[in-house]
Amino acid sequence: MRVDPECPFAKLTTLRLGGPARHLVEAGSADEVVEAVTAVPVGEPLFVFGGGSNLLVADAGFDGTAIRVVSQGVGRRDLTDETVALEVAAGEPWDAFVADCVLHGLAGIEALSGIPGTVGAAPIQNIGAYGQAAGEHVLELAVLDRRTGRRERLGAADCDFGYRDSRLKRETGRYVVLSVTFVLPRAPRSAPVRHRELATELGIELGQRAPAMAVREAVLRIRARKGMVLDAADHDTWSAGSFFINPILPPDAYEALQAQARELTGAAAPAYPEAAGGSKVPAAWLIEHAGFAKGYPLAARPQAGIAISTKHPLALTNRGHGTSAELIELAREIAAGVQRSFGVSLRPEPQLLGLRWDG
Ligand SMILES: Cc1cc2nc3c(=O)[nH]c(=O)nc-3n(C[C@H](O)[C@H](O)[C@H](O)COP(=O)(O)OP(=O)(O)OC[C@H]3O[C@@H](n4cnc5c(N)ncnc54)[C@H](O)[C@@H]3O)c2cc1C
């Protein structure tokens, strides 16, 4: 276990923003994570994190103990002739795990290629992209329940996965993920492709399969075009991915939005029905049609420290000299603009530490 009191979150997050924690501990195994968590007295501020890719920390830092999970290891068990269970340590890098599965003929998560961060964080917001979500393949999680102080196993049903959501996210801080067990089918071809842009990139019809490696490569190409693959040399990737969650609107709010959209733009907003009810509206469309173009506000202020990515309207990016305060200010300006234009409230996707969202 390594302790570093000086290191600011700016060195530990993909936004490269944020001051230091009062105590920073790096835990390299499940036992070390449990030891570090239980060493913090109940009632004292504690924050557990991984790759820092869904995190915005205040410039003043975090006045508490931050535990960075860097545990490694994958245990593999054949369940049937067709399926394999993989128990993956929470600190394993997510994309390396996906690459390994694709390489070894295990299908189902290939569309989640290129998402930064750790395996332990994947179930927190049930990471998803291009028609797949991590929660679909979770068998169980090994967790430390901070309420009871005991190690437990949570089945997928206990996690109550939803769109960018889970019980773990709703009960913030209660569960520390130690490992995640996935069940994946042995199949050299991908799961049926459910995302139109990905199907087009692959030159196949929606619902068809393709070699899993081809799907991974296609996803990485699409993501790179949008600045959604980390690249230290490209400020468009100094982000936390999508900053806003796509809102899911109940029928009355949806009708009101469409009336507003037709009046403002002459056309309806794109929307997708959700299985659990309501219509999902792309936050990117709302933002652009509320007047915030890619790159905003760089055209007017080339020296701005924080700006919308020049490649993707949903990513707020650090241009190399930004601050968390500036980022929150821009996020609030965008959310207020969308509220004014369309009456829709946007919510941030990343976890905010030491910052309040009242946009
Ligand atoms: C360029 C880019 C592209 C992205 N694309 C996508 C995408 O396509 N789809 C998507 O869903 N997300 C995307 N993200 C967001 C992010 O990568 C994911 O949410 C990822 O799962 C975060 O992992 P992390 O280890 O970096 O978590 P962190 O940022 O370190 O933490 C995020 C949250 O998880 C909690 N957490 C982390 N580890 C643990 C643990 N072991 N136990 C308990 N809680 C924990 C933290 O407390 C925090 O609340 C993107 C981010 C970037 C920068």
Side-chain angles (χ1 to χ4, degrees):
M1 205 159 3
R2 220 165 53 82
V3 180
D4 186 344
E6 302 294 327
C7 186
F9 273 101
K11 288 193 177 162
L12 304 168
T13 57
T14 52
L15 268 167
R16 302 176 194 227
L17 296 173
R22 178 148 45 95
H23 305 293
L24 173 67
V25 179
E26 220 170 62
S29 68
D31 287 346
E32 284 191 3
V33 174
V34 172
E35 189 186 325
V37 170
T38 47
V40 177
V42 176
E44 296 259 320
L46 168 70
F47 182 69
V48 177
F49 71 112
S53 62
N54 211 20
L55 202 52
L56 173 61
V57 184
D59 299 309
F62 172 59
D63 190 17
T65 303
I67 299 173
R68 183 166 180 243
V69 179
V70 294
S71 51
Q72 304 242 304
V74 181
R76 182 184 161 130
R77 178 163 54 96
D78 292 343
L79 282 185
T80 66
D81 284 350
E82 289 90 34
T83 55
V84 174
L86 298 133
E87 181 167 5
V88 190
E92 281 282 347
W94 170 261
D95 189 50
F97 169 61
V98 175
D100 210 50
C101 289
V102 169
L103 201 62
H104 290 95
L106 300 173
I109 55 172
E110 54 283 342
L112 303 178
S113 293
I115 300 180
T118 56
V119 168
I124 305 290
Q125 72 152 3
N126 184 21
I127 55 168
Y130 301 100
Q132 293 181 354
E136 293 167 14
H137 301 281
V138 168
L139 176 67
E140 60 178 18
L141 313 181
V143 296
L144 173 69
D145 182 348
R146 291 191 63 220
R147 201 177 278 176
T148 62
R150 282 203 303 268
R151 285 194 191 201
E152 284 171 14
R153 297 231 162 219
L154 296 182
D158 300 320
C159 298
D160 192 20
F161 291 120
Y163 166 65
R164 296 295 186 280
D165 194 32
S166 73
R167 179 175 157 212
L168 292 92
K169 184 171 174 180
R170 290 192 292 274
E171 296 188 35
T172 308
R174 174 170 176 186
Y175 294 107
V176 178
V177 179
L178 304 173
S179 69
V180 184
T181 303
F182 298 90
V183 174
L184 296 175
R186 270 197 198 88
R189 292 177 80 71
S190 70
V193 171
R194 291 188 283 212
H195 195 275
R196 188 166 298 283
E197 190 181 1
L198 179 55
T200 305
E201 180 77 17
L202 286 159
I204 61 173
E205 297 293 321
L206 265 186
Q208 284 187 323
R209 297 172 194 266
M213 187 58 86
V215 173
R216 173 172 167 78
E217 285 165 359
V219 166
L220 290 176
R221 280 196 304 276
I222 298 174
R223 294 185 74 96
R225 291 200 291 266
K226 295 179 179 176
M228 287 290 178
V229 177
L230 295 182
D231 174 356
D234 181 359
H235 284 137
D236 278 334
T237 75
W238 291 29
S239 77
S242 301
F243 193 84
F244 295 105
I245 295 179
N246 293 323
I248 297 174
L249 303 180
D252 50 344
Y254 176 73
E255 289 309 323
L257 161 68
Q258 293 302 22
Q260 198 68 353
R262 280 189 209 96
E263 198 180 313
L264 260 178
T265 72
Y272 307 93
E274 277 292 285
S279 304
K280 190 196 287 174
V281 179
W285 188 94
L286 295 169
I287 290 169
E288 286 196 298
H289 286 82
F292 300 97
K294 288 178 200 158
Y296 178 86
L298 292 172
R301 282 199 296 125
Q303 295 312 318
I306 300 289
I308 296 177
S309 159
T310 68
K311 302 187 183 75
H312 198 299
L314 257 191
L316 303 191
T317 61
N318 176 3
R319 311 314 292 181
H321 52 280
T323 64
S324 299
E326 274 176 271
L327 193 139
I328 273 289
E329 197 183 311
L330 178 61
R332 287 195 182 118
E333 183 189 345
I334 293 168
V338 167
Q339 179 72 50
R340 228 178 7 255
S341 299
F342 298 110
V344 174
S345 302
L346 291 181
R347 274 189 305 126
E349 184 185 301
Q351 159 102 44
L352 307 183
L353 193 60
L355 293 159
R356 279 196 34 231
W357 178 254
D358 44 24

